[in-house]
Amino acid sequence: MRRYAIISFTCLSTLPFAFSNVARAAEGSEADRILVTARGREEAEIGVPDTVTVYGPAAIAARKMATIDDFIAATPGIFIINDQDPGTNVISVRGVSTNRSQSPSIAYIVDGLALADSELFTLRTYDVARVEILKGPQGALFGRSASGGAIAVATNEPGPDWGGEAAVGIGNGFTWTADGVVNAPLSDRVQVRLAGSYRNGEGFIRNSFLDKKVDGQISRNLRLKATMALSETATLKLRASWADEEGGAAYISSGNVTGLYGGRLAGEALTDPFGDFEGRSDRNYWGIQATYEQLLGDALSLSWTGGYDEYHKDFVEELDFRNDTPITLGGIPLFPDGIQPISQPVDILAWTSELRLTSMTDGPLRWHVGLFFQRLERDRTDDFGPLLFGAEALRAETRSNQIGVFAQASYDIAPTIELTAALRYDRDRRKEDTVGTASDALVAQRVQTFDKWQPKISLAWRPNANLTAYVTGAVGFKAGGFNPLPGPADVWEAVFPSETTKSVEVGVKAQSSDGRLRGSIAGFVTDYSNFQNTVFLGNSVVLSVSQVDVHGLEASGDVALGAGFRVDGGIAWTHSRTGRYLTPNPTPEPGEPAIVDMSGKRTPNAPDWTVNGGIGWQGTAGPALVDARLSVAYVSRVDFEIDNILHTPGYTSVDGRVGVTQGAWTFDIWAKNLFDKRWAISAFGQQQLPLLLGLGPNGPFDSFTINTGRQFGASAAVKF
């Protein structure tokens, strides 16, 4: 209770300062509003009683954003780990973290439709109109898997004018890019838009044993959208998307970082990979979506959207990440050719549908109600090759049926005070069959239903259009799941429970009437229950942490300095620590306890501090428009596992871009991680993974992946 009071007081005490800034702002025309759809309808971001970060076309171009990683890296309070292959990722929002191969902790919505699996999150983003990042539980609107927050991506819609854009680029690592858009109005009622993106790069990380770069990638993407006016009140929208990617994967380094460097992944510990097997990944995706919108008089709007997604990934790697032969386990030479190949293919089929009825008036009461359904079929094979010692590889066939019912209403209880209440019920019935890949024999079968009521309530005070103070309380949850069937001596349960987050946020947003100054501050406290912590005990299993204590503060702002200069920045402090947590020792040695105390540990992949800042300038040089930006990002210590041994210390990176536009042409040069800083982006430690502890010769080892280092390039684009 004391934490709630301290953080609430800190945020509310800034209210007079924020209000005075607004009051002192120069009189002028009302500033352009940043519009968002965070609450199911288009409205000004400053009026939304949540922390929302928005990136529009100008910001996306200035920061050279092309993947979800780019958007997350620019946003304080949210962090992403890319692990082993392009589809596997771990996202942490305010300490609430995804776990590998299970449901995500963040909803990812593209053009109004929630993606069913985190494998789809890392597909390339292109021709984007807007990206909104919402922090804090968003289950009342987005349902299961929005326990940490939500990312909503809106791609550009077809327009009424003929035209398009083409761009080509070149960068280090022998990287070539090509992007194009064609907008074609076929008639007064039908418009189509075709967009594509291509990337081909040799890579940046060199394997010293194979003497080649091993992180190269080819990415091909196409999207066709159509908008059809069926009548004066009815519209049909169609979208078809395709992606095909292939390239390096599991370019993982190996070394005794725990023993030699105390688990600190920096300096001499950050060796290049030197394994004798090149990991590869090949994935392809296609999906279709249809949206029907119908106005029902002047007061109501009915919309339905449905989609189908199909995804396949082939992934192959080694598990020793070394070139020694034979590889020993516990001193015994069991693997004469190393632990390779290891294969983990994934297949996903998903059907998603949402029906929504929305009020259209701007009166004191604004509401919407809806129904949601999603069917997910996910198959994953764990073929551990030599580690099976001749046994049959197993495939987990997971089937999930999620049904959601939701409603939200906002009511102006006074001219300056808005009360918003929302409620959603989600029911996720899951079934998982574990079968032999060769025999199709049923090894295990589990069925479980996970459900939750997710309320949300907000109270917002808006004395004018440039100031909002609010308090929001929300509940979110992430469905539980299935571990490999445990044996008599195993310490994990066959079924692990759902995660639950209960959060209170207090915040203030303000801007000057001329738009030259914007700022916000928010404090939050989250009750985080049954954190799903992934460990590797012969296979990937989840051990639940009953309680995690999370609280923090965030602030952001931007100001126009004049003469074309504008400065922006944000800072987030998140204190995420385990409560009392006694857990089986994953790597018990003689004389060590069977149960270890992990209470008070930092949660994995959740840095305490994330800071972003930048300065931009727009001006003219003769007939040309110049747009330049320099950005700085800082991330504090990141712990990769719950024992807090293997970690990367804090690091800073600098990005920059200069663009010159003359007529229809734009030329730019850019750099990311300008000073070529190196850090680890994921890691597995010997104290959490028995295989690494027993590997030899010359073991034990930790495994980790280093970042790509400096990237730079140039591009040219033309509009027609």
Side-chain angles (χ1 to χ4, degrees), residues 165-426:
E165 184 174 357
V168 294
I170 185 173
N172 64 325
F174 291 97
T175 302
W176 295 86
T177 61
D179 296 271
V181 175
V182 176
N183 193 85
L186 303 183
S187 71
D188 291 341
R189 290 182 172 269
V190 180
Q191 296 99 34
V192 298
R193 187 179 184 92
L194 178 65
S197 179
Y198 174 80
R199 186 182 191 276
N200 189 333
E202 181 185 81
F204 307 92
I205 297 175
R206 179 172 293 276
N207 182 300
S208 59
F209 180 80
L210 299 176
D211 193 26
K212 63 182 298 188
K213 293 180 180 178
V214 289
D215 64 324
Q217 188 184 63
I218 300 174
S219 175
R220 312 170 186 90
N221 306 267
L222 283 173
R223 182 192 306 119
L224 178 64
K225 300 184 76 172
T227 300
M228 291 170 276
L230 303 180
S231 69
E232 295 298 320
T233 60
T235 303
L236 178 64
K237 298 179 180 179
L238 302 175
R239 186 191 73 184
S241 303
W242 170 83
D244 182 77
E245 295 182 350
E246 58 187 273
Y251 31 89
I252 294 175
S253 301
S254 179
N256 187 9
V257 181
T258 296
L260 297 178
Y261 304 98
R264 189 176 188 269
L265 283 158
E268 294 180 355
L270 290 178
T271 56
D272 289 329
F274 54 88
D276 57 4
F277 185 88
E278 184 179 3
R280 301 290 296 177
S281 176
D282 185 351
R283 60 179 187 158
N284 52 76
Y285 160 84
W286 73 273
I288 56 174
Q289 180 180 347
T291 301
Y292 177 77
E293 298 173 345
Q294 175 73 60
L295 293 176
L296 304 176
D298 296 329
L300 295 176
S301 172
L302 179 69
S303 66
W304 170 85
T305 185
Y308 171 78
D309 297 302
E310 185 172 317
Y311 175 89
H312 172 76
K313 180 184 74 179
D314 285 317
F315 167 58
V316 64
E317 66 168 340
E318 64 177 342
L319 281 186
D320 57 275
F321 311 116
R322 309 186 69 79
N323 55 64
D324 306 299
T325 52
I327 294 294
T328 63
L329 185 60
I332 303 173
L334 295 177
F335 311 106
D337 300 315
I339 308 178
Q340 56 189 349
I342 306 300
S343 177
Q344 289 182 300
V346 173
D347 287 281
I348 294 171
L349 300 177
W351 295 261
T352 307
S353 181
E354 184 175 283
L355 180 68
R356 184 177 298 199
L357 184 65
T358 304
S359 68
M360 299 296 293
T361 64
D362 292 326
L365 178 64
R366 301 165 296 280
W367 55 269
H368 64 254
V369 296
L371 300 172
F372 177 87
F373 171 79
Q374 189 169 78
R375 163 77 173 181
L376 171 64
E377 298 182 1
R378 190 183 202 272
D379 296 345
R380 190 189 77 179
T381 298
D382 291 325
D383 185 350
F384 293 116
L387 287 176
L388 295 175
F389 298 104
E392 184 180 26
L394 300 179
R395 181 175 64 251
E397 300 176 346
T398 306
R399 305 294 181 260
S400 169
N401 289 312
Q402 179 192 356
I403 298 174
V405 182
F406 59 93
Q408 178 174 286
S410 297
Y411 184 69
D412 297 330
I413 59 178
T416 61
I417 299 176
E418 177 197 73
L419 176 66
T420 300
L423 182 65
R424 176 164 175 149
Y425 173 75
D426 273 307

Side-chain angles (χ1 to χ4, degrees), residues 258 585-587 592 641 643 645 685-690 693 702:
T258 296
N585 188 343
T587 55
E592 292 185 348
E641 293 165 324
D643 61 8
I645 295 176
Q686 58 188 262
Q687 297 301 316
Q688 289 288 299
L689 185 55
L693 188 65
D702 303 283

Side-chain angles (χ1 to χ4, degrees), residues 101-102 375 378 380 382 394-401 428-435 442-450 480-487 490 492-497 539-542:
S101 302
Q102 301 294 337
R375 163 77 173 181
R378 190 183 202 272
R380 190 189 77 179
D382 291 325
L394 300 179
R395 181 175 64 251
E397 300 176 346
T398 306
R399 305 294 181 260
S400 169
N401 289 312
D428 186 2
R429 180 170 176 79
R430 295 193 165 199
K431 175 186 177 183
E432 183 171 283
D433 293 344
T434 304
V435 301
L442 183 63
V443 177
Q445 185 176 70
R446 278 77 58 81
V447 179
Q448 188 77 21
T449 298
F450 305 96
F482 308 109
N483 282 320
L485 200 64
D490 290 325
W492 63 85
E493 301 292 334
V495 180
F496 56 86
N539 202 335
S540 174
V541 299
V542 170

